[in-house]
Amino acid sequence: MSSAVGSEATQVARNNIQTATVLGYAAIAVTVAVWAGFALSIRYISASALTTADVALIRFGLPTLLLLPFLPSRGQALRSVKPRDAMMVICGAGLPFFFVASAGGAATSATYVGALIAGTSPLSVALVGYAIDRRFPPATRWHALAIIVAGAAALVVAAPAGVSASTAKGVALLLGASLFWGIYTLGLRRAGLDAVGSTLLLNVPSLVGLLVLMASGMVDSHLGTFSLAEAAPFLLVQGLGVGLISSLTYVVAIARLGAARSAAVGSLAPALASLLAVPFLGESLTPLTALGVGAITLGVVLSNRS
């Protein structure tokens, strides 16, 4: 009898593990799709009826509106975050990051946005970590970071129009956005908030700052001149996808699969963005571009394994 009960309990445990694993992979698949959509939507801003400020309003306004009821319950945790850590989160993925990434995307392509921001993030985290804590990455990661650098260099060489001044500017802006993202990543670790608290810390101050800029006329806006249909892609991808869904699904993925496996699968986002940019934005994917994206993806995978 006891043997049968033990076998049944073991089977139940195995089923629970399998269910958790399936849920984890489903969550990371959604996250990767959203991250790829971010790259495409950033590139699409310049071809839409919306300005960068209008899309930023969607990006930071919609999640703030949806999560505002949770603000009182997270108040104590938010107040306990050190000012420097809070600024790292707000600047790293807030308005400075968004405007720099948008400017870089307008000068390059969705492939560059995905590869040079998300793909080079391990390198940016290492650089920012050294600048703040004087901490070198372990030697086991150096070869992975070198592969990422080589992949980024291949992308620059593979630019369809050659290494023009516009392309160089766009690449510099995207690498700057990657550094912002590195600052955000370290700030997020230091803040120690849950997914909802982290999302509120990022979005509420960013929305307030954006409203001040728009009210003062310091940024251009086309509010009232574009239709809901024209704003719909940004509402889905930036507002709901990036602003809310991926913040939650990535936490679920880490809880079910572990941080290393989730980050490794998440590294597929630049490659997916490159593939989706061909049918949706009419961008070309040359062999050298594919090689650069592949090298960056490999470097991210190896970096996370290390």
Side-chain angles (χ1 to χ4, degrees):
M1 177 67 72
S2 60
S3 177
V5 172
S7 298
E8 183 178 350
T10 301
Q11 185 60 43
V12 170
R14 288 175 179 173
N15 291 339
N16 289 339
I17 292 174
Q18 291 176 352
T19 300
T21 301
V22 170
L23 179 60
Y25 277 112
I28 196 62
V30 171
T31 305
V32 169
V34 170
W35 287 349
F38 168 82
L40 268 65
S41 65
I42 284 291
R43 180 71 179 98
Y44 183 63
I45 293 176
S46 59
S48 72
L50 285 70
T51 68
T52 301
D54 296 330
V55 178
L57 183 62
I58 293 172
R59 162 65 184 88
F60 300 112
L62 188 56
T64 296
L65 181 64
L66 294 175
L67 294 179
L68 205 56
F70 296 95
L71 185 58
S73 63
R74 299 305 194 281
Q76 181 60 40
L78 290 170
R79 286 191 293 271
S80 67
V81 178
K82 295 179 180 179
R84 187 179 76 163
D85 298 339
M87 288 305 299
M88 289 175 68
V89 171
I90 296 167
C91 293
L95 291 180
F97 165 79
F98 194 88
F99 278 97
V100 171
S102 299
T108 54
S109 67
T111 297
Y112 279 60
V113 173
L116 295 182
I117 295 180
T120 63
S121 60
L123 180 61
S124 296
V125 170
L127 292 174
V128 174
Y130 175 73
I132 294 177
D133 298 326
R134 289 295 185 268
R135 181 181 301 172
F136 279 108
T140 53
R141 293 185 61 201
W142 290 357
H143 67 288
L145 298 178
I147 292 174
I148 292 174
V149 172
L155 275 183
V156 175
V157 175
V163 188
S164 63
S166 176
T167 300
K169 178 183 176 181
V171 168
L173 287 169
L174 293 177
L175 291 177
S178 178
L179 283 175
F180 274 119
W181 193 259
I183 293 171
Y184 165 73
T185 301
L186 292 181
L188 205 59
R189 293 176 184 173
R190 291 167 174 266
L193 299 170
D194 64 2
V196 174
S198 299
T199 305
L200 286 169
L201 176 61
L202 169 63
N203 287 284
V204 174
S206 297
L207 176 61
V208 172
L210 178 62
L211 291 176
V212 171
L213 292 176
M214 295 178 75
S216 63
M218 296 180 66
V219 293
D220 294 330
S221 174
H222 293 168
L223 280 177
T225 64
F226 54 83
S227 66
L228 180 60
E230 291 173 314
F234 300 107
L235 286 167
L236 292 175
V237 176
Q238 290 286 350
L240 286 176
V242 178
L244 185 63
I245 293 175
S246 67
S247 300
L248 302 177
T249 55
Y250 195 52
V251 172
V252 172
I254 290 176
R256 299 297 189 276
L257 302 177
R261 192 184 302 178
S262 297
V265 178
S267 67
L268 297 175
L272 181 59
S274 301
L275 294 174
L276 293 177
V278 176
F280 285 103
L281 299 179
E283 296 182 1
S284 60
L285 186 61
T286 65
L288 188 55
T289 300
L291 178 63
V293 173
I296 289 174
T297 303
L298 175 61
V300 175
V301 172
L302 293 176
S303 176
N304 287 305
R305 287 184 62 186
S306 300

